[in-house]
């Protein structure tokens, strides 16, 4: 049920003939069958420390088998000894470890029998080891002479291998072994020749049997080594030993193999085992052992030797190891050899084992049995555990084959084939079951199957039959077998429906029939929707240290909801649900969140969805972007005086290609430790030719750049020093800065350290007065400035500055013009005159001072003025000086913001960078009358149904002789629209109130009052009010005017009105907003209108503060004046805003209020009205 495919379902059919189906499956236990050995013991060791020993033999069959045993080929009765505990319905028995159990040692065989035949086990050997012990014996001491050969025999007791032998002293210290002293494979200790220090009385042989957990020790042996007994020499002991050694020296003699074995011997080794060839020799000096293979194929590798070259060892012996090996023992006295003829043999192993099975009546039987080994094994056939007598056997029998024809039910039997040689025996059994039964369907009836669309469906129908059954499948009510390529019947009867679709759902039937009978079962198939997965985002690219959230979106069949599970993998490995230890990776069912992404997080992330019917995956490859790794392996080549080639190896780009490399340098002479950029290499090139400056000890490093950012710098290169040279350039930005009048300070930008090109850098400064001197004056300086004193004031000089070092001068320098120090102008402008433009604006003219009197660069002219008296009252004023600055060489300027009808004085001076020159003589001028300012207030004194009495104050500044007042009013309706304007002229300038009659009752009015001079009328002050309703005002007033609550209410209203008036007055003084357009339309100012389009300049008081604003015309548009005056006609100063009439705001009084028809000085009178 687990393959992703998809196809059509067709209700038609398939037919399959299972010719050998019964032989392919295990015979059900419900069918009569021969016994089969299912489990048995092999070689068993009865360890003395075990409580019991189990000999296993299990078999199955029908009828249930009975069990019999043989021991060493003779029947063995399990009830013969009470220590044997047998098992019911089993051949297994247990021997309890009580008393002497050595009589149980032997080779056992199990036989399982029923009425059909007998199965036989392989031989089971039970080994009952005795406890190994060394015999108690008295070992005589060995007394030998220096240089003799000695053998200390161990003769270890027998026991279960492996056996480990050790020679130690009584303190359990190992006896040192070498070429002279060594232990043989049998455990004896051989001395090729003895020395006096070999003497000791505690040579102990220890035999260890690990499987028996036993170590036994032989009695200690004594070895005494004496000097040469026949030495009559009375000299030193060393001389005696030397003489003895000389006498004892001899050529080698083999101790293993012994001389009695002759010059050669034969050795047999089992294939796959270990070959050990041993040669031990005695002699003096100590012999050296060597090995060579004389005949046969040489081994691929040098043979391994052990025990100081005395043992040749070959593991995993093969047939190629067969041949003749020679060992040679040699010393200076001679040599001795021995040859080993090695034969490789092997125990039997199967080439072909007999195969049993289920056979129907009348068929034929052929059993083959073939084995190889060295020597060649003999083959013996057995029937039900007994040798076959060819005289009574109805079939044919040979060493390798048994055959029977026309099998009958009584031919059912267990055939055994046994192959033997001297190295072992192997057994193979073949159960021949001759059966004649109707089909048995082993699969349950009515099984329900399910799969998903596109997968294969497998409907099982396991059959056992003899003869073999014919199998077919049908669908739903159809009797036709299923065919077409989409349906496939397997040998075990299973129907596979490939590439399932929804219409494959339904009921299916499996039919099995042979000559004995037939059977059928049904199966139901449901087709579910396939699971679908999508991982988003697909293949994201994420910057290192950023976060990523992977979402696994899934769709699955609702019937599979309970079995649906999601998991995540990275590069094929399952991700743990509990996230990583540091908490960066958080897995929450269908989401995978990774914070602070690292390079290790890069990889393929797979979402795995599993249901009980299908498993699908969706992948997303996470690519982590990072700055490149630092470049490596910087190499300098092509070394020149002014260049060098730098090469490097780029670091890992981390999934964003390197698009630029930045080469930086550091020099250790001028600014050690400071890295500066030298060059950039575009693309992924890893070499560049660098242009260098002379006299610099360079060190380079490289920074790689990709779309993510810059790498860390590489490790610095080796240093590269360029030789010195003359300067390549001269200083730049040569200039003369302001100084004292009779000084000239020449300055320039010094050369950078890497521009010096050599030691001893100085600057050669040349200068001469332009047009006066022909020869150059010169001076060498080390700093980057030079001061000349006693120079004429402000005259031009030609200046040159050249770089010079110990190796020469730089290129010819360019000439720069500079001026000597300035002084303040020493002349005042002349011909100063004033033209009156209007009451607040004048135009000043003057003649500029001569060029030679400026004594510097002309900055411009300053016009100063101050008010001396008012023409209205004749009062003198404390002079408060103001000025405007006019930049550049000019001879006129506009002075705005003057007070009308006043007397002023005015002066003009020239200035330069050094300061101001002398002022001209004061010029006196008077400004004409202007329009007045607005009256100080306007109040409504009395309201009646058709009249109102108004009262107003004098204007703050009359700006001339008052000629009277203009009173205006107009109605305002509920939508605040205004009606026509009505004028009343008050010609008596001393009258400050007026009663207006003929008004409409219950109507809101707006009132205006403005003062007038011969120049016109000024800004109006306004007020609004409501006339009373007809016939109601007096009555209401008489009725309530005496009530206390009404008096309190009126007081509160009066207090509130006073508060509002105060707020309005404060806001007016702070310059509230107003509608210029409405005011102009209602009350045009004749003087302001005449200069409506003028642009006023900037104004300064004596503190020379810059003017921060500029004037606009009344209608808000910047236009040129009719007199062709422009913005440059007005100087620079402190104040920048003017009233519409041209008067300068705050120029004299400091007031900054702005009049407005809507808000300035206005308020609304409120009275109780009758509804």
């Amino acid at each position: 049920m687990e393959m992703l495919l998809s196809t059509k379902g067709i209700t038609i059919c398939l037919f399959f003939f299972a010719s050998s189906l019964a032989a392919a499956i295990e015979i059900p236990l419900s069918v009569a069958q021969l016994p089969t050995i299912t489990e048995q013991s092999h070689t068993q060791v009865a360890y003395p420390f075990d409580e019991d020993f189990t000999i296993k033999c299990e078999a199955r069959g029908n009828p249930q088998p009975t069990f019999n045993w043989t021991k060493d080929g003779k029947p063995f009765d399990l009830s013969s000894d009470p220590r044997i505990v047998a098992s019911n319905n089993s051949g297994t028995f247990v021997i309890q470890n009580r008393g002497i159990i050595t009589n149980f040692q032997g080779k056992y065989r199990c036989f399982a029998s029923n009425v059909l035949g007998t199965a036989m086990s392989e031989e089971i050997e039970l080994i009952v080891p005795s406890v190994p012990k060394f015999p108690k014996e008295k070992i005589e001491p060995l007394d030998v002479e220096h240089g003799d050969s000695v053998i200390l025999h161990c003769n270890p007791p027998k026991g279960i291998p492996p056996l480990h032998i050790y020679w130690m002293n009584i303190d359990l210290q190992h006896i040192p072994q070498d070429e002279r002293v060594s232990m043989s494979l049998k455990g004896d200790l051989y001395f090729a020749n003895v020395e006096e220090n070999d003497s000791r009385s505690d040579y102990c042989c220890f035999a260890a049997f690990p499987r028996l957990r036993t170590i036994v020790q032989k009695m200690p042996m004594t070895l005494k080594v004496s000097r040469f007994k026949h030495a009559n020499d009375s000299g030193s002991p060393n001389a005696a030993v030397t003489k003895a050694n000389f006498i004892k020296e001899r050529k080698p003699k083999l101790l293993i193999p012994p001389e009695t074995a002759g010059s050669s011997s034969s050795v047999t080794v089992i294939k796959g085992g270990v070959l050990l060839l041993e040669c031990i020799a005695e002699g003096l000096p100590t012999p050296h052992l060597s090995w060579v293979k004389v005949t046969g194929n040489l081994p691929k590798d040098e043979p391994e030797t052990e025990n100081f070259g005395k043992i040749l060892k070959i593991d995993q012996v093969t047939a190629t190891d067969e041949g003749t090996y020679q060992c040679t023992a040699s010393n200076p006295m001679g040599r001795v050899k021995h040859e080993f003829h090695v034969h490789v043999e092997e125990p039997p192993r199967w080439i072909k084992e007999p195969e049993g099975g289920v056979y129907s009546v009348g068929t034929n039987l052929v059993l083959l049995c073939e084995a190889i080994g060295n020597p060649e094994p003999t083959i013996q056939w057995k029937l039900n555990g007994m040798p076959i007598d060819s005289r009574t056997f109805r079939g044919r029998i040979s060493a390798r084959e048994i055959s029977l024809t026309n099998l009958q039910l009584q031919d059912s039997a267990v055939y055994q084939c046994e192959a033997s040689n001297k190295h072992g025996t192997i057994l193979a059994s073949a159960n021949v079951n001759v059966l004649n039964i109707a089909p048995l369907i082993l699969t349950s009836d009515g099984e329900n199957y399910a799969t998903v669309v596109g997968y294969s469906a497998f409907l099982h129908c396991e059959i056992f039959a003899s003869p073999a059954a014919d199998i077919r499948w049908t669908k739903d009510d159809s009797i036709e077998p299923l065919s077409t390529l989409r349906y496939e019947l397997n040998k075990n009867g299973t129907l596979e429906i490939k590439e399932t679709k929804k219409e494959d759902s339904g009921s299916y039937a499996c039919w099995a029939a042979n000559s004995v009978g037939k059977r059928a079962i049904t199966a139901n198939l449901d087709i579910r929707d396939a699971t679908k997965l999508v991982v988003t985002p697909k293949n994201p690219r994420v910057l290192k240290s950023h976060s990523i959230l992977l979402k696994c979106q899934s769709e699955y069949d609702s019937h599979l909801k309970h079995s649906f599970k999601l998991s995540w993998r990275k590069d094929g490995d399952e991700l743990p649900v509990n996230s990583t230890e540091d908490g960066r990776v958080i897995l929450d069912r269908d989401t995978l969140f990774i914070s602070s992404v690292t390079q290790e997080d890069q990889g393929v992330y797979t979402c795995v969805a599993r249901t009980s019917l299908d498993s699908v995956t969706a992948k997303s490859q996470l690519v982590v972007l990072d700055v490149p790794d630092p470049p490596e392996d910087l190499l300098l080549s092509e070394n020149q005086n002014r260049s060098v080639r730098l090469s490097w190896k780029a670091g890992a780009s981390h999934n964003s290609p390197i698009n630029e490399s930045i080469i930086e340098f550091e020099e250790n002479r001028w600014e050690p430790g400071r890295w500066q950029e030298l060059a950039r290499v575009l693309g992924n090139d890893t070499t560049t030719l660098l242009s260098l400056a002379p006299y610099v000890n360079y060190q380079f490093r490289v920074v790689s750049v990709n779309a993510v950012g810059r790498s860390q710098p590489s490790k610095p290169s080796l240093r590269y020093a360029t030789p010195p040279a003359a300067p390549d350039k001269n200083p730049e930005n040569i200039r003369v800065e302001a100084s004292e009048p009779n000084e000239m300070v020449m300055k320039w930008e010094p050369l950078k350290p890497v521009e010096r090109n050599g030691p001893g850098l100085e600057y050669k400064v040349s200068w001469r007065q332009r047009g006066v001197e022909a020869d150059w004056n010169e001076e060498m300086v080390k700093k980057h400035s030079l001061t000349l004193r006693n120079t004429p004031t402000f005259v031009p000089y030609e200046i040159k500055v050249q770089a010079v070092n110990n190796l020469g001068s730089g290129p010819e320098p360019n000439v720069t013009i500079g001026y000597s120090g300035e002084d303040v102008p020493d002349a005042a402008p002349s011909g100063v005159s004033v033209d009156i433009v209007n009451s607040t604006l004048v135009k000043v003219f003057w003649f500029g001072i001569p060029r030679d009197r400026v004594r510097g660069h002309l900055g411009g002219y300053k016009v100063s003025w101050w008010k001396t008296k008012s023409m209205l009252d004749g009062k003198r004023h404390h002079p408060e000086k103001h000025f405007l600055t006019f930049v550049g060489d000019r001879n006129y300027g506009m002075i705005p913001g003057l007070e009308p009808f006043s007397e002023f004085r005015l002066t003009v001076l020239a200035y330069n960078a050094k300061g101001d020159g002398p002022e001209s003589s004061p010029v006196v001028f008077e400004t004409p009358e202007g329009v007045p300012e607005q009256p100080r207030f306007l109040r409504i004194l009395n309201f009646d149904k058709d009249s109102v009495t108004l009262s107003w104050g004098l204007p703050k500044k009359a700006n001339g002789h008052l000629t009277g007042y203009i009173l205006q009013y107009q109605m305002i309706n509920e939508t605040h629209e205004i009606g026509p304007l009505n004028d009343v002229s008050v010609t008596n300038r001393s009258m400050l109130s007026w009663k207006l009659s003929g008004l409409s009752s219950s109507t809101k009015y707006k009132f205006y009052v403005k003062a007038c001079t011969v120049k016109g009328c000024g800004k109006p002050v306004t007020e609004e009010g409501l006339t009373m309703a007809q016939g109601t005002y007096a009555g209401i007033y008489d009725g309530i005017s005496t009530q206390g609550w009404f008096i309190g209410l009126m007081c509160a209203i009066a207090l509130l009105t006073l508060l509002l008036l105060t707020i309005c007055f404060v806001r007016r003084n702070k310059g509230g907003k107003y509608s210029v357009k409405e005011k102009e339309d209602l009350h045009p100012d004749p003087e302001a209108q005449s200069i409506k389009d003028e642009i006023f300049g900037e104004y300064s008081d004596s503190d020379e503060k810059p003017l921060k604003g500029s004037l606009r015309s009344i209608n808000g548009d910047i236009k040129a004046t009719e007199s062709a005056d422009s913005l440059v006609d007005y100087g620079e100063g402190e104040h920048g805003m003017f009233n519409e009439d041209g008067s300068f705001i705050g120029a004299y009084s400091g007031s900054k209020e702005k009049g407005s028809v809507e808000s300035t000085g206005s308020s609304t009178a409120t009275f109780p009205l009758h509804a």
Side-chain angles (χ1 to χ4, degrees), residues 27 29 31-37 59-63 65 112-119 357 384 411-415 430-435:
I27 304 174
L29 270 178
V31 177
Q33 58 187 284
L34 292 163
T36 302
I37 301 294
R60 67 181 181 86
N62 188 2
S113 305
N114 64 13
V115 294
L116 299 177
T118 300
N384 293 325
D411 291 324
S412 294
V414 180
Y415 291 82
N431 286 14
V432 176
N433 289 279
V434 182
L435 301 175

Side-chain angles (χ1 to χ4, degrees), residues 17-57:
F17 181 73
S19 60
S20 59
L21 185 62
I25 63 174
E26 191 174 280
I27 304 174
L29 270 178
S30 60
V31 177
Q33 58 187 284
L34 292 163
T36 302
I37 301 294
T38 58
E39 184 180 6
Q40 73 159 85
S41 297
H42 296 280
T43 301
Q44 181 90 2
V45 177
Y47 294 111
F49 43 79
D50 290 336
E51 293 182 0
D52 51 45
F53 322 106
T54 302
I55 309 297
K56 288 186 178 180
C57 180

Side-chain angles (χ1 to χ4, degrees), residues 836-841 899-902 926-933 958-964 966 1010-1019 1083-1090 1141:
I836 304 298
V837 178
N838 59 35
S839 61
T840 61
L841 179 67
E899 286 192 36
F901 208 41
S902 300
E926 295 178 357
T927 55
E929 290 189 58
V931 296
E933 293 186 5
N959 293 336
H961 297 291
L962 290 178
T963 59
I966 298 296
K1010 51 186 176 181
C1012 302
T1013 63
V1014 294
K1015 290 292 185 179
C1017 299
K1019 301 174 188 175
H1083 309 286
D1085 186 334
E1087 287 197 26
Q1089 191 66 32
S1090 66
D1141 60 359

Side-chain angles (χ1 to χ4, degrees), residues 980-1001:
L981 195 64
N982 302 288
D983 291 348
V984 176
S985 178
V986 180
T987 56
N988 185 354
R989 62 185 181 185
S990 60
M991 182 173 290
L992 297 177
S993 64
W994 191 269
K995 183 176 182 179
L996 288 175
S997 301
L999 304 178
S1000 300
S1001 62

Side-chain angles (χ1 to χ4, degrees), residues 261-555:
S263 61
S264 65
S265 58
S266 293
V267 177
T268 299
V269 62
I270 301 298
K271 183 179 178 181
V274 179
L275 173 63
L276 295 172
L277 302 179
E278 183 177 34
C279 277
I280 297 179
E282 63 93 4
L284 187 68
T286 302
H288 174 72
L289 272 297
S290 62
W291 293 87
V292 65
K293 188 174 184 183
V294 178
T295 64
N297 296 325
L298 293 174
K300 292 182 180 179
D301 301 319
E302 187 71 20
E304 180 185 352
T305 60
E306 294 181 348
N307 199 18
F308 311 101
K310 298 174 184 180
I311 297 175
L312 176 70
K313 180 180 180 181
I314 299 178
D315 290 316
Q316 296 294 321
V317 171
T318 64
T320 59
D321 296 317
E322 195 168 75
T324 300
Y325 294 83
Q326 179 180 277
C327 78
T328 302
S330 59
N331 69 6
M333 306 304 294
R335 63 180 58 200
V336 63
K337 299 180 180 180
H338 186 88
E339 290 185 347
F340 296 91
H341 302 291
V342 176
H343 303 281
V344 178
E345 297 183 353
E346 64 175 318
R349 59 185 176 90
W350 293 118
I351 297 298
K352 179 71 176 178
E353 295 184 56
E355 295 180 359
V358 177
Y359 296 86
S360 57
V361 173
T363 59
N364 299 327
L365 167 69
V366 176
L367 296 179
L368 300 176
C369 181
E370 187 175 353
I372 61 171
N374 189 7
E376 184 176 351
T378 59
I379 302 293
Q380 183 183 19
W381 287 96
K382 293 183 179 181
L383 178 66
N384 293 325
M386 301 299 292
I388 298 177
D389 187 350
S390 58
R391 293 172 299 177
T392 60
F393 185 64
R394 76 176 188 88
R396 296 177 59 188
I397 183 169
S398 66
R400 297 184 178 181
E401 181 179 313
I402 283 182
S403 62
L404 280 172
T405 58
N406 191 24
L407 289 173
Q408 300 300 314
L409 294 176
Q410 59 270 23
D411 291 324
S412 294
V414 180
Y415 291 82
Q416 290 98 7
C417 177
E418 206 166 42
S420 304
N421 68 9
K422 66 179 182 178
H423 299 298
T425 300
I426 54 177
L427 175 69
S429 297
N431 286 14
V432 176
N433 289 279
V434 182
L435 301 175
N436 193 44
I437 61 173
L440 293 177
I441 300 181
L442 306 179
T443 303
S444 300
D445 189 17
E447 286 281 355
N448 294 314
Y449 298 92
T451 189
V452 297
V453 173
Y455 278 56
S456 289
F458 295 87
L459 309 184
H460 301 296
C461 186
E462 189 175 357
I463 305 292
F464 180 81
S466 181
D470 299 331
I471 302 174
R472 61 176 184 151
W473 283 85
T474 60
K475 184 175 186 293
D476 295 333
D477 298 329
S478 173
I479 60 173
E480 293 296 323
L482 295 172
S483 62
T484 78
L485 296 177
R486 278 212 311 126
Y487 299 100
E488 182 176 330
L489 185 61
N490 298 327
K491 288 184 178 181
N492 61 1
T494 298
L495 174 67
E496 179 183 356
I497 307 174
K498 300 178 180 179
E499 301 175 351
T500 56
K501 303 187 77 173
K502 283 285 190 179
E503 49 265 35
D504 289 325
S505 296
S507 177
Y508 292 79
C510 173
W511 302 84
N514 65 6
S515 59
V516 183
K518 64 179 179 179
R519 296 283 189 277
I521 62 167
T522 59
N524 300 309
L525 177 62
D526 289 323
I527 306 298
R528 308 297 188 195
D529 291 327
T531 305
K532 299 177 182 178
L533 283 184
V534 175
V535 175
T536 56
K538 183 73 172 176
N539 302 334
R541 298 168 65 86
V542 182
L543 291 177
K544 182 183 177 183
S545 300
H546 286 222
S547 300
I548 179 67
L549 177 67
L550 295 178
K551 177 78 173 177
C552 186
Q553 298 171 323
S554 59
E555 293 181 10

Side-chain angles (χ1 to χ4, degrees), residues 688-728:
T688 185
L689 190 64
L690 300 175
S691 296
L692 307 179
Y695 196 55
V696 178
N697 191 13
Y698 283 99
Q699 184 175 231
F700 305 101
R701 71 182 186 187
V702 183
V703 176
S704 296
V705 182
N706 62 9
V708 181
R710 294 188 175 196
S711 73
Q712 290 294 315
S714 68
K715 292 182 179 179
S717 70
L718 297 176
R719 287 204 174 268
Y720 181 68
T722 53
D728 293 326

Side-chain angles (χ1 to χ4, degrees), residues 801-853:
V801 181
Q802 185 178 32
V804 180
N805 65 16
N806 291 350
L807 284 86
S809 302
E812 182 63 26
N814 297 324
V815 175
T816 301
I817 304 300
Y819 284 82
S820 58
E822 298 184 31
D823 203 349
V824 296
D826 61 358
S830 60
V832 179
S833 62
V834 177
D835 282 355
I836 304 298
V837 178
N838 59 35
S839 61
T840 61
L841 179 67
V842 299
K843 190 171 186 177
V844 182
F845 297 90
W846 62 87
F847 295 114
I849 65 175
R851 183 72 193 143
D852 59 340
R853 305 296 295 276

